[in-house]
Amino acid sequence: MATSSLSLPATAKSFQWTTVGKPADVLSLNKATPLPTVTGSNVLVKVHAAAVNPVDWKLMKGGVPRFLMPSTKVPGVDIAGTIVAVGPKAGKRVQIGDQVMVLLSLFQSGGLAEYTLVDESLVARKPERWSFEQAASMPLATMTVWQALVDYGKFKKGDKVLINGASGGTGTVAVQMAKALGAYVVGVCSGINAQMVKDLGADEVVDYRTTDVTENFTNQDFDIVFDAATTGDQFWAKRHTLIKPSGNLVLIVPRDNVTDTPFHMLYAGACVASKKATTFLQRGPGYHLILTERDGVELEEAVKVLEDAKADPIIDSLYEFTFPSVLAAFDKSISGRAKGKIVVKVH
């Protein structure tokens, strides 16, 4: 039997979509969504804040087969909130009243809702120094960066790391994390954002509008190139002069049409396989397209590195939990011009 706080409502508000398309065309606000039953190892989180990420609107394009997702989908994978109920097999890591942050399952999502159900294994405790808005901005970016640098990049203290898209939502966290781990960091961004990236800890900043970074570094300078701006073909073409033979090129999912249809996703997968085969045959730098895994314990570990370094989240903008405001948050994300993360205040 689940244990819960007193006075939970029977229904709550949530943003939903059922057909594919642009957020403005397919999103709706359901003001009477029934609260889910808390079973097994699940916990119910009262959501105080949720982030809007590119993956949220990319899923709406329709590239992911529908059978992998619920028929009614609630967008949002980043949340911060308070535990208000625990299932009969939960309670080993968190209890009612705990303040937490969660990276939700990709296909289930569920962040843009007043309450959401998650498995306890995905939950991490929120640092006291961070507000709910700050904490909500971090799970996806932190886990992506941690896995890109540590798991895929095989990071070692003292490594030289190039971060493309260093002023964006993922890139800002990448600069902070790489410095906290002990890297020499070169950030690539527009000149207007250069000082912000320097303030985050970058040792050098390259303005991509005036300088081709692949022509500026030609002596196999980098141990890791992390492309958070998804322009990886540029770095792949120059990998032998840009990256050490033992180094790694790590990309996040491209901004282009890879999620438009299942065919586009299959084509992208084939391209990755081809490049990984080339890497193996030529014994050159590794090539990795990161698929971020979900794990609450690992999220806590990664967040602690940032917390110990006093590296606080960078938030571009805050939005209210209303239909016009949430659509504006999606528009900002689609523009690709956010400096840091985009966050919606829910409760």
Side-chain angles (χ1 to χ4, degrees):
M1 182 176 179
T3 304
S4 64
S5 301
L6 297 176
S7 303
L8 288 179
T11 62
K13 297 177 183 177
S14 68
F15 282 86
Q16 301 176 349
W17 60 282
T18 57
T19 60
V20 299
K22 298 178 181 178
D25 297 330
V26 301
L27 268 182
S28 62
L29 177 58
N30 185 335
K31 296 182 178 181
T33 307
L35 253 64
T37 302
V38 186
T39 60
S41 60
N42 291 320
V43 298
L44 186 66
V45 179
K46 181 177 182 180
V47 180
H48 298 299
V52 172
N53 294 289
V55 68
D56 299 321
W57 50 265
K58 287 180 180 180
L59 285 174
M60 294 181 194
K61 289 184 171 185
V64 177
R66 294 192 179 188
F67 69 84
L68 292 175
M69 296 186 290
S71 57
T72 300
K73 294 160 279 288
V74 177
V77 296
D78 277 338
I79 64 168
T82 303
I83 302 291
V84 294
V86 297
K89 296 183 179 179
K92 298 179 178 64
R93 296 185 56 242
V94 294
Q95 302 294 331
I96 290 173
D98 286 351
Q99 297 181 352
V100 298
M101 52 196 294
V102 187
L103 175 55
L104 298 168
S105 166
L106 177 62
F107 297 142
Q108 291 296 120
S109 299
L112 284 174
E114 291 182 316
Y115 294 85
T116 196
L117 191 69
V118 302
D119 192 277
E120 185 181 26
S121 65
L122 302 181
V123 174
R125 288 177 178 81
K126 180 184 79 67
E128 289 186 7
R129 64 180 281 117
W130 291 356
S131 67
F132 283 110
E133 291 78 18
Q134 288 176 310
S137 75
M138 293 300 278
L140 179 58
T142 300
M143 288 291 279
T144 299
V145 168
W146 180 263
Q147 291 168 21
L149 297 179
V150 177
D151 297 340
Y152 290 87
K154 309 302 180 187
F155 179 85
K156 306 178 299 300
K157 187 174 183 179
D159 275 356
K160 192 168 185 177
V161 178
L162 175 71
I163 298 169
N164 190 41
S167 62
T170 302
T172 51
V173 179
V175 173
Q176 293 172 308
M177 182 69 76
K179 287 305 297 181
L181 290 170
Y184 183 94
V185 176
V186 177
V188 181
C189 63
S190 65
I192 195 171
N193 297 326
Q195 188 57 53
M196 179 187 76
V197 173
K198 286 283 286 185
D199 291 344
L200 291 175
D203 298 283
E204 299 180 50
V205 178
V206 177
D207 181 353
Y208 72 87
R209 292 179 174 173
T210 61
T211 305
D212 182 347
V213 70
T214 65
E215 299 295 336
N216 216 36
F217 296 93
T218 58
N219 296 314
Q220 298 182 336
D221 295 88
F222 295 101
D223 299 280
I224 303 172
V225 172
F226 177 46
D227 185 7
T230 61
T231 55
D233 284 345
Q234 164 196 3
F235 300 116
W236 172 252
K238 299 295 182 67
R239 63 193 182 281
H240 293 300
T241 55
L242 185 69
I243 309 171
K244 294 176 182 177
S246 60
N248 290 281
L249 168 61
V250 187
L251 300 82
I252 58 177
V253 176
R255 279 186 56 86
D256 60 17
N257 64 352
V258 69
T259 54
D260 282 1
T261 68
F263 172 79
H264 286 91
M265 296 190 73
L266 288 171
Y267 177 75
C271 290
V272 172
S274 173
K275 289 171 181 174
K276 290 183 81 68
T278 300
T279 291
F280 176 77
L281 293 172
Q282 296 182 354
R283 296 294 192 271
Y287 180 91
H288 311 280
L289 182 64
I290 186 169
L291 299 173
T292 307
E293 296 181 9
R294 274 73 173 152
D295 185 289
V297 173
E298 188 176 38
L299 177 57
E300 279 192 10
E301 180 184 1
V303 165
K304 190 174 189 311
V305 172
L306 295 172
E307 188 180 12
D308 289 347
K310 294 182 170 54
D312 292 328
I314 305 300
I315 295 178
D316 174 270
S317 45
L318 289 172
Y319 295 85
E320 298 300 320
F321 194 66
T322 64
F323 192 72
S325 190
V326 167
L327 286 185
F330 273 96
D331 286 343
K332 185 60 176 286
S333 178
I334 292 169
S335 76
R337 297 302 177 190
K339 294 182 289 186
K341 296 303 296 286
I342 299 165
V343 177
V344 175
K345 298 169 63 176
V346 180
H347 275 114

